[in-house]
Amino acid sequence: MTAIISVAFALSWGGREIVARVTRGEFSRIVKEIPLTAAFGIMVIMVYFVVALAAPLLAPYGETSVVGPQFLPWNAEHLLGTDSLGRDTLSRLVYGARNTVGLALATTLLAFLIGTILGLISATAGYTLDRLLSLVVDIVMAIPALILSLVLLSIFGTSVPMLILIIAVVDSTRVYRLTRSVAMNVVVMDYIEAAKLRGEGMGRLIFREILPNITAPLVAEFGLRFCFVFLTISALSFPGLGVQPPTADWGSMVREFASLIAFGDVTPLLPAGAIALLTVAVNFVVDWMLHRSSGLKD
């Protein structure tokens, strides 16, 4: 394990140096200042992105193709064996990158769209609307997010659009709180008052004056929200309320292979490790972005 970590960070350092040398100007300087942890995170995220996009080209078999006996051990033909239906585990892992990460990204984007817009409106629209929106958000946040998602999915079904919509709405409350908080600090600034005196409408105030000044914390929060959404989708898939079969998903794969742990088989750790690795990588990048946006120096 130590050797693997050392090789990974060595590759991250090498990639950082290559990019810094082939680029020029301010971008090259920023690349040189990237810490190794963030460089490692960026490398992992890029690998996941490439695997997700090129899944049909990289997977040796189809996503749902039955290619052998059930729970076939690792061998030359099936490098990671087969699952409970005889499908190739490596192919399912590769397609799982597209499905799990793609769903998490789409859900996070929708959550941010809802939460950011409502948060900005709440901060600029006045006391009555602000209190009304905040009350609704407080009620939703009073219920644990995972439990609320489980209840809503049980009521409305577990289709992919419904899964994205429910998790996005539940998670948008966290985005709303952050957006409203940072926007409130900007709304009281003198240049906002000057813009109001010039007669600028709410839309112009939000998108020209407020939003550009709160971008840094929102970008950092996007990374954190992606991690939470990613883990939520995987957690919902484990009991069968997330991504539905036969679609490959890392959370459901952990459930499928869980019984093999009793026989000393490490296959269940592969999708779990893929989930953990991406979460750690995104957090490394988010930590670096928070450090840059805070203006702190080492």
Side-chain angles (χ1 to χ4, degrees):
M1 181 60 69
T2 303
I4 294 175
I5 295 175
S6 300
V7 170
F9 277 96
L11 291 174
S12 303
W13 177 84
R16 182 187 66 179
E17 294 302 313
I18 291 173
V19 173
R21 289 179 182 276
V22 299
T23 54
R24 296 290 184 273
E26 181 68 14
F27 183 76
S28 178
R29 185 187 65 80
I30 293 175
V31 171
K32 290 179 180 179
E33 294 176 352
I34 297 177
L36 277 181
T37 52
F40 170 77
I42 293 172
M43 182 186 70
V44 170
I45 292 171
M46 291 178 62
V47 170
Y48 274 63
F49 183 74
V50 171
V51 170
L53 289 181
L57 300 176
L58 297 176
Y61 299 96
E63 181 180 4
T64 60
S65 301
V66 177
V67 295
Q70 300 176 357
F71 292 129
L72 193 68
W74 298 11
N75 56 53
E77 185 178 358
H78 304 287
L79 297 180
L80 299 178
T82 59
D83 65 5
S84 59
L85 296 178
R87 298 169 297 191
D88 184 67
T89 302
L90 176 59
S91 301
R92 299 279 291 174
L93 274 175
V94 172
Y95 277 100
R98 165 180 288 187
N99 299 328
T100 308
V101 178
L103 281 175
L105 182 60
T107 305
T108 307
L109 288 172
L110 181 58
F112 252 76
L113 180 64
I114 297 172
T116 301
I117 291 176
L118 291 180
L120 289 170
I121 292 175
S122 180
T124 56
Y127 179 82
T128 303
L129 184 58
D130 176 38
R131 295 311 304 161
L132 178 62
L133 288 174
S134 296
L135 178 61
V136 173
V137 168
D138 288 342
I139 293 173
V140 175
M141 291 185 68
I143 307 172
L146 186 58
I147 295 176
L148 180 59
S149 299
L150 285 169
V151 171
L152 293 177
L153 286 170
S154 299
I155 295 173
F156 296 106
T158 55
S159 63
V160 170
M162 191 57 63
L163 178 68
I164 293 175
L165 180 61
I166 288 175
I167 298 178
V169 170
V170 172
D171 213 62
S172 66
T173 56
R174 279 72 181 170
V175 182
Y176 167 88
R177 299 297 294 183
L178 174 70
T179 304
R180 177 184 176 276
S181 177
V182 294
M184 283 291 190
N185 294 329
V186 176
V187 167
V188 297
M189 303 297 287
D190 291 341
Y191 64 88
I192 299 297
E193 294 297 327
K196 290 179 179 179
L197 292 174
R198 291 198 303 267
E200 294 186 3
M202 181 184 295
R204 190 175 180 85
L205 281 175
I206 289 175
F207 293 105
R208 294 292 299 274
E209 306 292 346
I210 301 175
L211 187 58
N213 290 285
I214 62 173
T215 301
L218 290 181
V219 170
E221 178 66 12
F222 183 88
L224 295 176
R225 283 295 109 204
F226 175 82
C227 289
F228 285 117
V229 169
F230 182 72
L231 294 173
T232 299
I233 292 175
S234 299
L236 290 172
S237 296
F238 187 83
L241 289 175
V243 180
Q244 297 301 300
T247 304
D249 171 72
W250 290 337
S252 59
M253 289 182 70
V254 174
R255 182 188 72 246
E256 291 172 8
F257 289 108
S259 60
L260 298 182
I261 287 290
F263 301 97
D265 194 325
V266 299
T267 304
L269 300 180
L270 299 178
I275 295 170
L277 180 60
L278 182 58
T279 303
V280 171
V282 172
N283 274 283
F284 279 157
V285 178
V286 169
D287 286 343
W288 169 62
M289 294 174 63
L290 282 172
H291 182 81
R292 279 183 53 82
S293 63
S294 67
L296 297 175
K297 303 298 181 182
D298 291 329

